[in-house]
Amino acid sequence: MKIALGPLLYYWPRSQVSDFYAAAAHWPVDIIYLGEVVCARRHELRTADWIELAQTLQQAGKTVVLSSQALLESAGDLISLRKLADAGFALEANDLGAVKIAQDADVPFVAGPHLNIYNGATLDWYAARGATSWVPPVEMPGAALRQLLAERSCSIPTEIFAHGHVPLAFSARCFTARHFDLSKDACEFRCIEHPDGLDVNTRDGRPFLRINGIQTQSAACQSLFSALPELKSSGVDVLRISPQAHFTEEWVRAYAAALAGEAVEPDIATWQPEGIANGYWYGKAGIEHLIGSVAC
């Protein structure tokens, strides 16, 4: 299996983004996704900056994919997306509008996790329109994935969201702005103060969700590290690791070492102190952490 570094879901200062990808160029990742997926108002890096960064990482030997927003809201969003497509890199399409733009630009696309592909016929439909790989919905259990792959006729690679805070939903409303009693159009870019999003707790103080602008994420970090043998036997070709502000490199190297057959014991208490979960993979509540089919 290959390792992919997913698109950056958070709003970081320009210097932090530059340092992160300068380091990632030397990590054991095969594919790097770039671009703004969450909010068009985030402007530390413009479209031209993402394209320049893509060219740099391509020269470093990485396969680069430029990601589209999951929620295209304006003509300006479409213009920016067309510029990404015209750069000649593959696109990650997270919206049907992005699929159309990829077709118009005659560039391959990855069918992203927000396209709602739940059966083999739908996957075949996207493959016939130029998809060269796909990412199942983040909540799809392993059993459902195996059934889908048995149904399909196409043979494009399957990439799974293996590690990171799960992107659960998007809304036209900005939750971070609302938290600070601000409007979406005058949000003061508060997301940049929270490099891994904002925790949301229940009334009794238990972590429940994480808000990241218009995106809602899981509070715990999904980690399929312990399920690697099952992922291999299920037909998964690529593992996606979602960037986080801390310890992304450590996780990347742990996954790479495990895939190479080394005995690896991740330092979860340090690398992911908020806890890990993998319930979705086993058809359970996503917040659960299981080993095999036994809850921990």
Side-chain angles (χ1 to χ4, degrees), residues 217-288:
Q217 300 179 322
S218 62
C221 175
Q222 173 162 286
S223 177
L224 300 184
F225 187 86
S226 63
L228 285 179
E230 298 166 50
L231 296 176
K232 290 180 180 179
S233 64
S234 296
V236 173
D237 303 286
V238 183
L239 303 174
R240 174 175 294 198
I241 298 177
S242 187
Q244 300 177 81
H246 304 287
F247 301 110
T248 303
E249 179 179 1
E250 285 80 356
W251 277 112
V252 165
R253 295 192 181 281
Y255 275 90
L259 291 178
E262 299 178 25
V264 182
E265 190 67 38
D267 185 358
I268 295 173
T270 301
W271 300 353
Q272 224 68 66
E274 72 277 23
I276 60 174
N278 59 12
Y280 280 144
W281 176 254
Y282 295 104
K284 305 293 184 180
I287 199 171
E288 293 187 34

Side-chain angles (χ1 to χ4, degrees), residues 93-127:
N94 288 303
D95 178 277
L96 273 171
V99 173
K100 179 63 164 59
I101 287 173
Q103 289 180 304
D104 290 344
D106 195 26
V107 296
F109 70 90
V110 176
H114 309 299
L115 287 181
N116 298 324
I117 300 173
Y118 289 101
N119 57 64
T122 303
L123 180 58
D124 288 339
W125 187 89
Y126 280 105

Side-chain angles (χ1 to χ4, degrees), residues 179 198-202 205-211 216-217 219:
H179 174 77
L198 267 167
D199 289 334
V200 177
N201 296 330
T202 61
R206 297 181 61 189
F208 175 51
L209 294 171
R210 186 168 291 223
I211 57 175
T216 305
Q217 300 179 322

Side-chain angles (χ1 to χ4, degrees), residues 1 48 57 62 93 98 153 157 165-166 208 285-286:
M1 286 192 287
L57 290 169
K62 306 300 183 183
S153 299
H165 293 279
V166 181
F208 175 51

